Amino acid sequence: IPRRIFEKRVRQMTTIVYVNGVMAADGRETIEEDHKSAMTIRDDCVKVWKLPDGRLFGAAHGSEDIERLRRALVKGQKPPRLNDIAAILVDRKGKISLYEGNIWQETTTPYYAVGSGAVFAFPLLRYGAKDAVRIAKIAAECDPFSGGKIHSVSLDSSRRKK
């Protein structure tokens, strides 16, 4: 493998979906040079978490930025300014906020999706689909930058994580 491959950003061009108390995401992680070509590194990357305080968090794009934001949330710190991220945070009551590198912005919709597969997830959400895991699977089948194992977390502690 050429050395220049490892100088590219590890990215999670992904599908993350939240609806009906559940957040789900595919597991594909890639190295990419541009939005036209990517090499799959693995298909079991976890991109959604249930935070210690019960909120749900999921993020797409730059792996380092995702981890920096996740650590800040776990520690209760102010979010860092980031360059390559699209994140969803859902509070215990189901209120959705988005983060794209500077500030959290609240949404008014009962569902949301981020990542390269969001373009495939939103039509399903808009027309009433309520199963986040199934929506993430369908979107990952359509999106060339998504794939692999689907992981999920739930606001309801009785629902199983996949």
Side-chain angles (χ1 to χ4, degrees):
I1 297 175
R3 179 184 169 108
R4 70 178 181 82
I5 294 269
F6 297 107
E7 295 169 357
K8 305 301 177 193
R9 284 190 72 117
V10 175
R11 294 181 55 82
Q12 297 174 13
M13 296 296 289
T14 192
T15 301
I16 298 176
V17 177
Y18 172 79
V19 66
N20 202 29
V22 177
M23 188 178 292
D26 73 298
R28 179 151 299 157
E29 186 173 54
T30 60
I31 292 177
E32 80 165 27
E33 186 167 334
D34 53 39
H35 290 295
K36 297 175 188 155
S37 61
M39 179 178 83
T40 299
I41 297 174
R42 61 185 181 150
D43 274 337
D44 63 350
C45 181
V46 176
K47 305 171 189 177
V48 293
W49 297 268
K50 186 166 190 172
L51 301 174
D53 63 6
R55 295 178 297 169
L56 306 182
F57 169 68
H61 300 307
S63 295
E64 181 181 327
D65 283 356
I66 292 168
E67 183 60 16
R68 288 178 61 209
L69 182 56
R70 188 191 69 78
R71 288 179 184 186
L73 289 168
V74 167
K75 293 177 181 178
Q77 297 172 341
K78 203 173 147 181
R81 184 173 294 256
L82 302 169
N83 296 321
D84 189 21
I85 193 163
I88 302 173
L89 183 66
V90 181
D91 72 15
R92 293 185 306 251
K93 294 181 181 179
K95 187 170 209 86
I96 304 167
S97 296
L98 306 174
Y99 187 78
E100 295 178 326
N102 294 305
I103 61 169
W104 286 105
Q105 304 169 67
E106 291 184 3
T107 69
T108 57
T109 62
Y111 55 78
Y112 214 85
V114 296
S116 55
V119 68
F120 302 105
F122 269 116
L124 298 169
L125 291 162
R126 185 170 209 166
Y127 289 99
K130 300 286 186 202
D131 183 339
V133 172
R134 183 76 180 127
I135 295 165
K137 283 181 185 177
I138 292 167
E141 288 172 7
C142 297
D143 176 31
F145 298 105
S146 297
K149 184 175 180 170
I150 303 294
H151 298 272
S152 68
V153 290
S154 172
L155 291 173
D156 179 356
S157 60
S158 67
R159 290 187 185 174
R160 287 184 50 218
K161 182 179 175 182
K162 296 183 180 186

